[in-house]
Amino acid sequence: MTISRREFLKVGGAGISVSLLFSDLLKGDLIANPSARKILVIVQLAGGNDSLNTFIPYTDRRYNQARPTLALHDEAVLKVDDRFAFHSSMQPLKELYDQGRLAFVNGVGFPSLDRSHFRCRNVWQTADESAGPAAKGQLGWLGRYADAYLSSGATAVTTFAVGGREPLGLTSRTVSGTSIISPEVFSTSTDLVIDPRDPSDIEPYKAALFEIYGQQKQPGDVDLIRTRGRAAFEAVDLFKQLGPASMASYPNSRLGRTLQLIARIAAADIGTAIVWIAVDGFDTHGLQATTHSKLLGDVSSSLLAFQQDLNARRLADNVVVLAWSEFGRRVFENGNLGTDHGKAGTVFLIGNRVKGGAYGDVPDLSDLDDGDLKTRIDFRSVYWTVIEDWLSHDPLPVLQRRFENLGFMQRAGRVRAIRH
Amino acid sequence: MSIVWNEENAAHLFRRAGFGGTTDEIRQALADGLEGSVDKLLHYQSQPNDLLELRLARLNLYLKSDGKLSDLARWWLVRMIFTARPLEERMTLFWLNHFATAYEKVLHIGWLKSENNTIRENCLGTFRSLLFAVAQDPAMMYWLDTWQNTKTNPNENFGREILELFTLGVGHYSEADVRAAARSFTGWSINGNDSIFQFNSDDHDFSEKTFLGQVGTWNGTDIIRMVCSESAHAQFMAAKLFSYFAYSDPEPAVVDRLARLYLDFDTNLTVLVRAILTSEEMYSAKSLWRKIKSPIEHVVIPSRQLLLADDVDNAFQYLVQEGQTPFDPPDVSGWDDGLSWISPATLLNRMNFADALSRQFDPRGFTKGEGIGSPAELVDFYLRRLGPVPLPGESKAKLMKYVSPNGDIPTGEKLVIKQRGLVRLILSLPEWQML
């Protein structure tokens, strides 16, 4: 007797044979969600990345004048053309740019950017300017996307987050994904440990646990916990399918290990469609030069290694990376050899299906907003473009208003299935 | 008073105002009555805590500036589990999430321990004296840059957070008030050698400021005095403490009543907490079993209730993996609570912690003399000890079936294994994750 997973979860697990894995009933009925063949990896550069020192208008004299100690010199930067250069630590990303795989979009923000970490990151994650600093009960933009397009066929691993707790950006009504604090705890956060002292007790124990979690009860918090518990057991089984890490040369950093794990998840094709990675440390108020350099170096090498890993696994057509930060930083450096919170910043995207290049105008350092870069492109246009051209869905139900398509994605035709 | 003082309500009081009641504590509470029990919890000064201090001394943890966070966390967990003063530790935990200070920036184990103790010493006096002590605490001053805030280079971090997060809440002050507060706190600094507060008059702005509509040559002490007199503060504090003990989004009438009491008694926290813990709302359907246990609670509560001889090995690691590293909240607004603690990964962690705890639990001593003769009695016994957990009959039946498929109570080693498994199962239940 086979029953679909949805039926199982609705009716309750009465009568499971003790020897089954939780999802043994579901094998063969796990329909790979077509969208899951395309994976979107969000990289959140938390703290407010100094985009002016990342994608640098190096030929603008005002840049050097505003940053007597922090401005990078002509010889050090990695020149793109006669307007832009990359920070000297970004050679790996420059390589991707030269291959046409990296797009960066300047002047991205929203009209009411107010330099508050809490509020701005909530606005970015909900795509809703009315979001306040304490975003209770709100849905993320990718949560709304998941509700609209990933609900049927969603598994416990349809969305996957690493770093901090469940990100607001993924908070969804119907899709409850998996999130872990760091890649180092992946195996202990995704496996069930049972006292092996009496091996004969393990199966009766699991049977009791799964049966109690399989029951259908009154809606409420307890039932929500029950649902997430079922998702936990499902995730345990799905993650057992991961193959080994590749030999690609990831840096020995948390981000490197995270992306190495993501490549394994992508290759296993267990239904993960959206990945969210949070990278800390970008709030560089003081002694920015070395800190920022190290961060950009790590981000660049990790993302290049990730691309190379995907290439080797023949998955590079199936993944797009989008990196964002809650705001850019002020044009003038402060008195502590660092920079304070600013407004508009730069987002960048990486992938085979990205139309590489520079988008948006060169930052105009003569036309500032109270010392900050002006917003010229609404961040929701970036989301619009990704949903429409990469995920191939109508963005309107997600963003609730029309935004411009910025043209940095190749119109995605059919993508080859991950398993071949 | 129409509160029925029964086992369910007494257990609820001990769960929320402490970290779970043992059988003895609940039996005593039923004898003392509601008011008697609350008063005992509040007036803990008369309760000696030397057994805890002895235990801590024996642990001999290195807790100086360069100590390890895991050791400091263990010191705090052991306090919460083995204290004879549950409400004292409960209030300390509450205040540490209110005055959230993070190891990630402070990095000084000695300072963080000292801040923890300062809060403990002031946790149920007046809020004004607590705020004053915290504002002059080295860990806090370093965390919110108070020590870097000078007349020539004002730093608004502390000035903003004291108004936004610690006393008034957004909407009850202006940006100008933030700047005035920052200027008033200039000169407040740290004597690094002695790790204490030091006032540097050279850095202090002695000029006139306008704060909350009042003009004067204010300093930090004045700001603290003024915010504590605001009715907005009383509303803010009453609502927050009520939400912590009873339920979120309290009715305006309830908050008003508590706020008035709080101001009448000059921000006296004992008076406020007593009013909350003896209120009908505290024992209403909106309150019982309606919160979600945070990671610290799901570690400490069963440790107390199962009378564990020692804290669970490596409890710290589980807390880290679930996102509640003691002494290291994500930012100054503290930890979020509620359902955000529950995700597939964190639930697995809870189940794995339950496994670790069950290995340290000795059922033999625990059930001695209880006269348990059937699987049903065994299940009821543990549900009561760990709650009493309100569990539907269907789930209870599955627990009974686990204990014994054929209905006979197991014996000997088998019984020991089944009891450990039963504890593990109960601690893994969706219902048990509630508080």
Side-chain angles (χ1 to χ4, degrees):
Chain A
M1 174 199 82
T2 54
I3 54 176
S4 77
R5 178 174 46 81
R6 234 174 319 145
E7 273 174 56
F8 172 76
L9 293 175
K10 218 174 39 183
V11 164
I16 312 178
S17 153
V18 157
S19 63
L20 288 179
L21 283 176
F22 186 76
S23 60
D24 262 359
L25 287 171
L26 322 173
K27 268 186 198 155
D29 287 318
L30 247 182
I31 305 157
N33 190 320
S35 300
R37 297 195 199 111
K38 292 194 211 144
I39 299 174
L40 176 62
V41 176
I42 303 287
V43 176
Q44 176 188 3
L45 307 176
N49 177 43
D50 184 20
S51 47
L52 201 59
N53 260 17
T54 310
F55 302 100
I56 307 168
Y58 70 105
T59 52
D60 189 330
R61 258 181 313 108
R62 281 171 288 241
Y63 166 69
N64 301 82
Q65 284 161 6
R67 298 178 163 209
T69 72
L70 290 185
L72 277 89
H73 295 298
D74 245 44
E75 317 82 58
V77 299
L78 307 170
K79 297 183 177 66
V80 166
D81 57 25
D82 61 4
R83 304 169 308 149
F84 281 118
F86 287 20
H87 186 289
S88 44
S89 301
M90 290 168 66
Q91 182 55 45
L93 286 190
K94 176 74 171 40
E95 217 175 288
L96 288 174
Y97 184 84
D98 292 338
Q99 293 168 24
R101 309 288 193 212
L102 185 146
F104 60 95
V105 188
N106 283 314
V108 179
F110 54 92
S112 61
L113 271 166
D114 67 351
R115 308 187 184 129
S116 151
H117 288 301
F118 309 120
R119 183 177 163 264
C120 291
R121 72 189 181 206
N122 287 349
V123 171
W124 274 83
Q125 294 190 70
T126 56
D128 177 2
E129 253 185 296
S130 67
K136 288 208 150 107
Q138 293 202 271
L139 298 177
W141 72 280
L142 287 169
R144 289 200 297 278
Y145 173 81
D147 285 332
Y149 301 116
L150 300 178
S151 233
S152 71
T155 71
V157 305
T158 296
T159 68
F160 184 70
V162 183
R165 283 207 296 193
E166 220 167 86
L168 176 57
L170 295 183
T171 303
S172 153
R173 235 192 299 269
T174 59
V175 176
S176 160
T178 295
S179 74
I180 60 174
I181 294 286
S182 68
E184 294 84 19
V185 307
F186 175 71
S187 49
T188 53
S189 293
T190 56
D191 204 5
L192 189 62
V193 177
I194 299 174
D195 188 344
R197 254 178 302 181
D198 180 6
S200 74
D201 197 54
I202 292 181
E203 289 309 316
Y205 180 81
K206 276 163 70 172
L209 184 63
F210 294 162
E211 282 183 42
I212 288 174
Y213 268 88
Q215 291 162 8
Q216 182 68 19
K217 291 290 167 207
Q218 306 289 7
D221 281 358
V222 171
D223 214 53
L224 268 168
I225 297 175
R226 207 183 297 276
T227 304
R228 292 179 191 185
R230 284 198 291 267
F233 302 143
E234 194 179 35
V236 168
D237 289 342
L238 288 170
F239 282 127
K240 284 190 164 74
Q241 297 175 46
L242 292 202
S246 82
M247 306 302 265
S249 51
Y250 287 94
N252 184 17
S253 67
R254 176 152 290 177
L255 179 59
R257 285 188 286 275
T258 302
L259 287 166
Q260 189 176 44
L261 171 64
I262 302 306
R264 292 169 65 203
I265 292 174
D269 194 18
I270 49 179
T272 304
I274 302 174
V275 175
W276 186 291
I277 301 170
V279 185
D280 280 327
F282 287 86
D283 192 19
T284 50
H285 284 285
L287 301 176
Q288 175 175 314
T290 344
T291 312
H292 198 222
S293 190
K294 283 207 184 103
L295 285 166
L296 292 179
D298 183 24
V299 168
S300 305
S301 335
S302 299
L303 286 172
L304 177 64
F306 184 56
Q307 274 303 113
Q308 289 168 340
D309 194 348
L310 294 175
N311 271 320
R313 297 176 187 265
R314 297 165 68 178
L315 288 176
D317 283 354
N318 299 77
V319 181
V320 164
V321 174
L322 165 60
W324 67 278
S325 199
E326 65 259 46
F327 42 65
R329 303 185 85 79
R330 285 172 93 57
V331 172
F332 278 77
E333 63 181 65
N334 63 23
N336 283 332
L337 305 179
T339 50
D340 295 324
H341 303 176
K343 298 203 185 75
T346 306
V347 309
F348 63 92
L349 299 103
I350 297 172
N352 280 13
R353 292 306 177 99
V354 168
K355 274 200 275 185
Y359 295 80
D361 297 326
V362 186
D364 186 349
L365 301 184
S366 69
D367 180 23
L368 299 179
D369 172 5
D370 191 23
D372 299 324
L373 296 175
K374 277 191 172 167
T375 294
R376 298 186 196 282
I377 294 179
D378 193 297
F379 72 103
R380 287 159 288 191
S381 317
V382 175
Y383 294 173
W384 183 279
T385 313
V386 168
I387 298 173
E388 188 167 58
D389 286 353
W390 170 237
L391 300 173
S392 307
H393 279 296
D394 179 6
L396 197 55
V398 179
L399 299 175
Q400 287 147 4
R401 229 186 76 198
R402 297 204 163 273
F403 291 90
E404 204 194 329
N405 186 311
L406 300 171
F408 52 66
M409 295 298 310
Q410 296 170 20
R411 297 253 141 171
R414 285 177 53 83
V415 182
R416 197 181 59 226
I418 290 178
R419 287 248 176 80
H420 48 267
Chain B
M1 165 119 41
S2 63
I3 299 168
V4 176
W5 190 235
N6 55 20
E7 185 180 348
E8 191 189 35
N9 284 334
H12 176 66
L13 172 66
F14 274 85
R15 227 169 17 249
R16 296 278 179 98
F19 293 96
T22 62
T23 320
D24 287 348
E25 282 171 332
I26 293 178
R27 197 182 302 126
Q28 184 63 53
L30 289 172
D32 291 340
L34 166 58
E35 307 242 345
S37 304
V38 170
D39 281 334
K40 251 189 196 164
L41 285 168
L42 282 166
H43 302 294
Y44 52 74
Q45 305 289 0
S46 52
Q47 178 64 40
N49 221 355
D50 29 340
L51 285 180
L52 170 65
E53 299 304 336
L54 213 62
R55 177 184 287 269
L56 288 171
R58 244 184 284 123
L59 278 181
N60 200 19
L61 296 165
Y62 178 78
L63 299 175
K64 298 268 167 33
S65 65
D66 54 335
K68 289 198 297 202
L69 180 60
S70 53
D71 284 337
L72 185 62
R74 190 171 177 215
W75 170 85
W76 195 9
L77 282 174
V78 165
R79 295 199 68 98
M80 287 189 268
I81 297 169
F82 296 105
T83 185
R85 303 174 172 182
L87 184 54
E88 181 183 53
E89 291 305 324
R90 203 22 125 167
M91 292 306 301
T92 304
L93 179 63
F94 170 79
W95 291 122
L96 255 306
N97 201 38
H98 181 75
F99 295 112
T101 309
Y103 168 80
E104 198 190 26
K105 175 171 173 180
V106 176
L107 289 173
H108 192 299
I109 294 293
W111 283 7
L112 288 167
K113 179 181 178 228
S114 177
E115 187 191 29
N116 190 288
N117 277 328
T118 297
I119 282 178
R120 185 171 288 102
E121 281 155 32
N122 290 280
C123 67
L124 274 177
T126 65
F127 178 80
R128 197 169 13 85
S129 50
L130 169 63
L131 177 59
F132 185 77
V134 171
Q136 294 200 335
D137 178 271
M140 172 57 75
M141 284 198 289
Y142 184 78
W143 165 239
L144 291 184
D145 307 325
T146 315
W147 68 287
Q148 277 188 316
N149 176 30
T150 63
K151 182 171 60 184
T152 42
N153 264 321
N155 180 309
E156 285 178 12
N157 203 353
F158 183 73
R160 180 180 304 281
E161 305 307 356
I162 188 179
L163 302 181
E164 181 178 339
L165 295 175
F166 297 166
T167 60
L168 298 176
V170 165
H172 298 286
Y173 57 89
S174 66
E175 283 300 302
D177 290 325
V178 171
R179 284 193 288 274
R183 286 167 55 213
S184 305
F185 281 107
T186 48
W188 283 39
S189 190
I190 308 170
N191 176 322
N193 287 329
D194 302 326
S195 293
I196 55 171
F197 170 81
Q198 172 172 293
F199 180 66
N200 295 340
S201 55
D202 286 347
D203 290 329
H204 181 68
D205 177 340
F206 284 94
S207 66
E208 212 171 60
K209 304 111 182 153
T210 306
F211 179 70
L212 295 179
Q214 297 167 75
V215 181
T217 55
W218 309 127
N219 61 34
T221 310
D222 296 315
I223 300 296
I224 289 174
R225 175 181 47 79
M226 284 190 275
V227 292
C228 288
S229 315
E230 291 285 306
S231 63
H233 165 66
Q235 291 272 322
F236 177 80
M237 207 65 247
K240 189 161 182 184
L241 269 166
F242 182 89
S243 300
Y244 186 70
F245 285 113
Y247 50 83
S248 316
D249 302 317
E251 296 83 351
V254 173
V255 177
D256 283 343
R257 181 182 91 222
L258 293 169
R260 225 171 319 128
L261 192 64
Y262 176 70
L263 271 185
D264 283 349
F265 284 89
D266 186 34
T267 73
N268 188 308
L269 294 161
T270 300
V271 169
L272 177 58
V273 171
R274 188 182 190 284
I276 294 170
L277 295 180
T278 54
S279 69
E280 285 182 24
E281 288 85 8
M282 178 74 197
Y283 302 93
S284 65
K286 276 171 98 164
S287 179
L288 261 74
W289 289 110
R290 294 287 293 268
K291 286 185 180 285
I292 308 259
K293 286 186 174 85
S294 64
I296 285 178
E297 284 158 345
H298 90 71
V299 163
V300 173
I301 291 175
S303 304
R304 281 186 75 85
Q305 293 182 315
L306 292 174
L307 304 175
L308 289 196
D310 295 293
D311 51 308
V312 176
D313 288 336
N314 273 321
F316 177 70
Q317 277 314 316
Y318 294 92
L319 295 175
V320 170
Q321 283 167 202
E322 290 177 45
Q324 194 177 31
T325 308
F327 294 100
D328 207 18
D331 57 50
V332 63
S333 61
W335 286 292
D336 272 342
D337 63 6
L339 274 168
S340 61
W341 288 124
I342 307 283
S343 75
T346 62
L347 266 176
L348 280 173
N349 262 291
R350 289 179 180 223
M351 295 179 191
N352 294 341
F353 174 78
D355 180 79
L357 184 149
S358 72
R359 295 183 208 206
Q360 279 184 227
F361 169 59
D362 184 0
R364 277 169 281 238
F366 203 68
T367 53
K368 215 182 194 153
E370 294 289 335
I372 288 167
S374 70
E377 281 171 11
L378 191 67
V379 168
D380 280 336
F381 174 81
Y382 279 105
L383 286 175
R384 199 169 171 200
R385 283 291 190 281
L386 291 168
V389 185
L391 199 64
E394 205 184 333
S395 302
K396 249 198 237 189
K398 300 202 197 297
L399 292 178
M400 281 168 16
K401 195 171 99 180
Y402 161 75
V403 169
S404 169
N406 67 11
D408 298 327
I409 186 109
T411 53
E413 191 58 30
K414 188 76 179 167
L415 181 59
V416 171
I417 287 168
K418 283 297 181 183
Q419 286 180 83
R420 286 210 176 97
L422 188 55
V423 163
R424 222 187 300 128
L425 268 176
I426 293 173
L427 299 185
S428 303
L429 290 175
E431 286 85 355
W432 192 86
Q433 310 313 319
M434 307 301 291
L435 181 71

